[in-house]
Amino acid sequence: TGDPDGPPMKVGVAIVDITAGMLACSAILAALRVSEATGRGQLIDMSLFDAHLSWLANVGSNYLLMGETPGRYGNGHPNIVPYQAFRASDGWLVLAVGNDRQWQRFCRAVQRADLARDERFAANDLRVTNRSALVPLLEEMFAGRTVGEWVALLREHDVPAGPVNTVDRALESEQARARGLVRTVEHPGGPLRMVASPLGLTTTPPAIRRRPPLLGEHTEEVLRAVYAAEEGE
């Protein structure tokens, strides 16, 4: 991860820790199903390293199948072009031309018949090979209009594109509101906004049952439960 000529870059969140937790949850659910069928439990061994390697996904598969160490492409895609972020006049947008039909629609949308006719860009494998020629042309083009103008135009022509949001814009976006992804709960310090669970269950939708606790708020409650359990042994 990072620019081709720059240093390696970390991702913005603790993705290894989060991934290991998600995979551990899946492993627990699988073990419970096995226990229901066999009556036997089992030990779950989940390491951060294992989780990290499993998330290499297509990048890892490319190495294992082809024997070539993947390079860095910044915001680009190693196997699809154009599939990356571009700077507009007032910000950044992401363009995701996933196949040759979308490429033709893209060229019509931006009124660049010259790109559609250019044999260097006629198919995705050719666009990958000629990435260094195509991307500067698109960078120059995208710089001439705003993010909103480009996204509206491309979506009108069924070309996948979207703005690169800051965290605040993402959380306050129309889509976040429509999906109910930000919830407000009562808290001694005043109303507290939280990110809701992304699990969309129609019969048993997740709910926020308790607010985040104050420091030490539940110590007595937890200790009572522990002592009660020990006395019951």
Side-chain angles (χ1 to χ4, degrees):
T1 298
D3 290 328
D5 299 323
M9 299 292 291
K10 66 183 287 293
V11 295
V13 297
I15 192 65
V16 178
D17 304 88
I18 295 171
T19 298
M22 294 170 63
L23 293 174
C25 179
S26 296
I28 291 169
L29 294 175
L32 287 173
R33 292 300 303 270
V34 173
S35 177
E36 291 172 355
T38 66
R40 300 183 60 185
Q42 57 187 298
L43 175 67
I44 293 172
D45 178 6
M46 177 61 60
S47 83
L48 295 176
F49 181 76
D50 296 353
H52 194 63
L53 281 188
S54 73
W55 264 50
L56 286 177
N58 58 307
V59 175
S61 296
N62 284 346
Y63 167 72
L64 294 174
L65 294 173
M66 306 301 294
E68 298 178 358
T69 302
R72 296 196 295 266
Y73 294 90
N75 285 310
H77 194 290
N79 303 331
I80 307 174
V81 175
Y83 201 103
Q84 65 182 78
F86 289 97
R87 184 190 291 273
S89 63
D90 64 342
W92 290 81
L93 72 148
V94 169
L95 171 69
V97 176
N99 55 56
D100 294 335
R101 291 190 302 276
Q102 288 179 350
W103 169 250
Q104 293 299 321
R105 292 203 300 269
F106 168 76
C107 292
R108 289 194 296 270
V110 299
Q111 298 182 2
R112 291 295 300 267
D114 59 316
L115 296 179
R117 292 193 302 265
D118 196 316
E119 294 183 357
R120 295 175 298 171
F121 314 137
N124 182 68
D125 60 332
L126 295 173
R127 293 192 295 276
V128 171
T129 300
N130 296 294
R131 180 197 304 264
S132 60
L134 175 58
V135 169
L137 296 175
L138 298 181
E139 288 176 335
E140 181 181 3
M141 181 192 73
F142 279 117
R145 302 175 73 171
T146 68
V147 171
E149 290 173 324
W150 284 122
V151 170
L153 176 64
L154 293 171
R155 288 180 176 176
E156 180 183 347
H157 288 80
D158 200 23
V159 176
V164 177
N165 286 315
T166 54
V167 172
D168 57 317
R169 289 180 179 176
L171 290 173
E172 304 292 354
S173 66
E174 180 181 348
Q175 184 70 3
R177 289 194 297 272
R179 299 291 293 175
L181 288 175
V182 177
R183 305 286 178 85
T184 301
V185 297
E186 294 301 321
H187 195 270
L192 180 65
R193 301 175 76 204
M194 301 172 56
V195 177
S197 171
L199 302 181
L201 302 174
T202 58
T203 303
T204 56
I208 300 175
R209 296 187 298 274
R210 304 181 73 166
R211 60 170 172 78
L214 300 174
L215 180 63
E217 180 178 356
H218 298 139
T219 300
E220 183 177 346
E221 177 184 339
V222 171
L223 291 177
R224 281 202 305 267
V226 171
Y227 291 146
E230 291 178 349
E231 292 174 357
E233 292 180 352

